[in-house]
Amino acid sequence: MTKPLDPDMFDPLCPSELMPVRVGDKWAGMIIQCLEDGPRRFSELRVPLRNITPKVLTQSLRALERGGYVTRAVHAEPSRHVAYELTSLGRSLLDLLGVIRTWAETHMDELIDAREAAERGTATG
């Protein structure tokens, strides 16, 4: 049994739109991280990804599946459910995502300052 996902694994104030490198859409990197420890049901993914709508989560999962990063398995026993799991291709992104996350955490203040300057119409440098 896979341990439950931490509802606070992603900072709710983290401005993910500031990430300069993305895999897929805005949510793909976070979904991949949620699947790191094994297969998860849709409802399990919704715990740490509480700010994503079910429709967008479904779209993101389908895009990851089409890209070969995630598999979707329908299980009939003991009760019918669907689980999502990383493929070897998806798993190969985990180290890269870790490096990107560390970089973003190190440079978050600079990223926020640059975004705010752009919104004000001034440049930073």
Side-chain angles (χ1 to χ4, degrees), residues 11-49:
D11 184 343
L13 301 177
C14 177
S16 61
E17 65 274 0
L18 294 179
M19 287 299 291
V21 179
R22 286 194 188 154
V23 174
D25 62 29
K26 174 181 177 177
W27 301 100
M30 289 183 267
I31 293 169
I32 289 169
Q33 288 178 322
C34 288
L35 297 173
E36 180 174 10
D37 292 331
R40 299 288 181 173
R41 293 179 181 199
F42 187 89
S43 59
E44 289 179 278
L45 295 171
R46 295 267 306 148
V47 173
L49 301 172

Side-chain angles (χ1 to χ4, degrees), residues 35-38 69 85-95:
L35 297 173
E36 180 174 10
D37 292 331
Y69 305 108
E85 185 172 12
L86 289 176
T87 63
S88 59
L89 182 63
R91 192 158 289 289
S92 73
L93 290 170
L94 290 169
D95 288 340

Side-chain angles (χ1 to χ4, degrees), residues 19-107:
M19 287 299 291
V21 179
R22 286 194 188 154
V23 174
D25 62 29
K26 174 181 177 177
W27 301 100
M30 289 183 267
I31 293 169
I32 289 169
Q33 288 178 322
C34 288
L35 297 173
E36 180 174 10
D37 292 331
R40 299 288 181 173
R41 293 179 181 199
F42 187 89
S43 59
E44 289 179 278
L45 295 171
R46 295 267 306 148
V47 173
L49 301 172
R50 59 192 165 277
N51 292 329
I52 186 173
T53 65
K55 177 182 176 182
V56 172
L57 179 55
T58 297
Q59 291 170 341
S60 294
L61 285 164
R62 286 180 182 161
L64 288 167
E65 187 178 4
R66 277 191 308 275
Y69 305 108
V70 170
T71 59
R72 178 182 183 272
V74 178
H75 301 278
E77 301 294 329
S79 64
R80 183 173 163 78
H81 69 276
V82 174
Y84 298 90
E85 185 172 12
L86 289 176
T87 63
S88 59
L89 182 63
R91 192 158 289 289
S92 73
L93 290 170
L94 290 169
D95 288 340
L96 176 61
L97 289 172
V99 170
I100 293 169
R101 186 177 191 170
T102 299
W103 180 89
E105 289 168 353
T106 301
H107 297 283

